[in-house]
Amino acid sequence: MGKGKTQNRSLPSTDKDALNSEQQNIVEWLKKVRFQKQLFGGVSEADVWKKIDELNKLYDAALTAERIRYETLLAESKAGNTLPEERVGDE
């Protein structure tokens, strides 16, 4: 890439139905994130660390939501409540 040219990056397409709301928040955040520029050195290191912290909090929320979903499915399975046949076949 030459100077002054920017690469047009896009996130991989995602199946929104397969994502929980916390995961969708991460996708939206990644689409909107911008870093504070500096005259020398490209971007502000403090801003980068702030953005990393924000992203880490989003991932923690997504992980917590997945953990709750997993534990709920596990508890239902142990209780003898199984998913309908057509739903299991879709996965």
Side-chain angles (χ1 to χ4, degrees), residues 17-64:
D17 294 335
L19 300 177
N20 67 34
S21 64
E22 300 300 332
Q23 292 167 330
Q24 289 176 4
N25 289 343
I26 293 170
V27 170
E28 292 305 315
W29 186 87
L30 288 171
K31 287 180 181 178
K32 295 177 185 176
V33 69
R34 298 291 177 258
F35 295 96
Q36 184 179 18
K37 295 190 183 340
Q38 284 186 324
L39 186 56
F40 297 106
V43 295
S44 165
E45 182 177 349
D47 187 51
V48 170
W49 283 111
K50 179 182 165 193
K51 297 296 183 349
I52 290 172
D53 185 53
E54 289 174 18
L55 183 58
N56 187 51
K57 288 176 183 175
L58 290 170
Y59 272 110
D60 282 344
L63 181 60
T64 299

